[in-house]
Amino acid sequence: MRLPAGLLYLGLLATLAGCQSQSPSDVLSVSTSSEKTGAIAMPSANIPSAAARKTARAPIAPPAAVPGGAPALAMATPPQSPVPFENVQPQLIPAVAEPMARPTAEKANFIVPTSPTGAGSMHPRSRMPIYSQRFRDAKPINFGRHSPRAYAVHGVDVSRWQGNIDWRKLREQGANFAFIKATDGGDHTDPMFKTNWNGAKAAGLKRGAYHFFYWCRTAGEQADWFIRNVPRDPEALPPVIDVEWNHDSACRQKLSPKLVREKMKVFMEKLESHYGKRPIIYTAPDFYEDNLDGAFANYPFWLRAVAEHPSKVYPNRRWVFWQYSGSGLSHGVSGRIDLNTFYGSAEDWHRWVASN
């Protein structure tokens, strides 16, 4: 269909104006490296030495209220007297649990991730049953009164290194959620991601995907790579950015704390815009002390602490997930598997899942 000459002239002017207004998508990150990202090797040691286990240096202020009027904090209440897992028989925890007593020395370490589309709105999703954990550990640690067994909802994180997983057996052993390795850098995908992603859902686990951040690639292209490979599923857990120092990597860049946080912000904001969920930050003690102490107060944290409770390793840092072992053993998986727990009761878990 032919258009009047006047309309053609206006269209030409609009096109020229659009060409002049483009801007770079990742102004905060360093130049792109041509280096390929390889798979992350499984660590040989699962428990850091006292010298390597650094602690945070200064307390932080509590997070501010979420824009829109919703409170940023929710208090969780793990049980006070855990039952040794060797004596626990397979059972389901009721979907609605009574509030559980807090250990006397426990701190308020729970922060609810927020969604950009709603202030903690409750979505009408069915509640999945919660299985009590029956995991074993090749290198058990005595955490004292703050044992991970005191928490009601446990899960795992997996990658190619776990091989073929029998997700139904793993679920019955107490894996109520799973964080699954999806991507790292800007060009690598975990070869087991799709298999694990589909298998975990079919077995009834809540699952989320994580990205291992590579410091020699721009944040924008890493976010694009993750988005390209991880489906936008409203039932999934929020996406995870895994930030740590990888001493086995060919990437030797060790950026300033300011630049680290800037790159993380670019990546996380792009994922939040795409998935509609605020990303979770996974980190380890040394990286946290170098770069994250006091930062990102309004983001949910998933903390690695395999020798002490997170309140000892990350003083005053609020957290949602705790990775308490890298040497877990379970039916359904060969070899070792990372074990995690959610901060809160069964009811807290159902509310958190419903609001994300």
Side-chain angles (χ1 to χ4, degrees), residues 35 38 63 123 189 201 212 220 232 239 252 266 270 278 311 326-327 342 344:
E35 183 178 2
H123 303 297
T189 303
K201 182 174 183 178
F212 190 94
R232 182 162 52 184
R252 300 301 180 186
V266 169
K270 199 161 191 176
R278 179 158 294 178
S311 62
S327 55
F342 168 81

Side-chain angles (χ1 to χ4, degrees), residues 216-292:
C216 290
R217 302 295 290 260
T218 67
E221 66 179 331
Q222 292 190 68
D224 290 340
W225 182 246
F226 184 89
I227 290 169
R228 177 178 170 182
N229 287 280
V230 177
R232 182 162 52 184
D233 179 1
E235 296 295 318
L237 298 175
V240 176
I241 176 175
D242 179 342
V243 285
E244 51 189 296
W245 298 129
N246 180 14
H247 304 293
D248 296 325
S249 173
C251 176
R252 300 301 180 186
Q253 288 195 35
K254 196 166 184 179
L255 308 178
S256 69
K258 181 176 183 294
L259 187 53
V260 162
R261 293 191 291 266
E262 287 176 349
K263 289 173 72 69
M264 287 177 62
K265 190 70 171 174
V266 169
F267 181 89
M268 293 189 296
E269 287 184 347
K270 199 161 191 176
L271 262 62
E272 185 170 356
S273 176
H274 179 78
Y275 293 101
K277 302 181 181 187
R278 179 158 294 178
I280 299 168
I281 300 171
Y282 169 90
T283 194
D286 56 346
F287 188 91
Y288 178 88
E289 184 179 11
D290 290 345
N291 302 285
L292 300 179

Side-chain angles (χ1 to χ4, degrees), residues 42 157-165 333-334 336-338:
M42 176 158 303
D157 61 275
V158 302
S159 68
R160 61 183 293 184
W161 302 110
Q162 277 67 52
N164 291 316
I165 297 173
V333 62
S334 300
R336 300 179 182 183
I337 189 170
D338 292 339

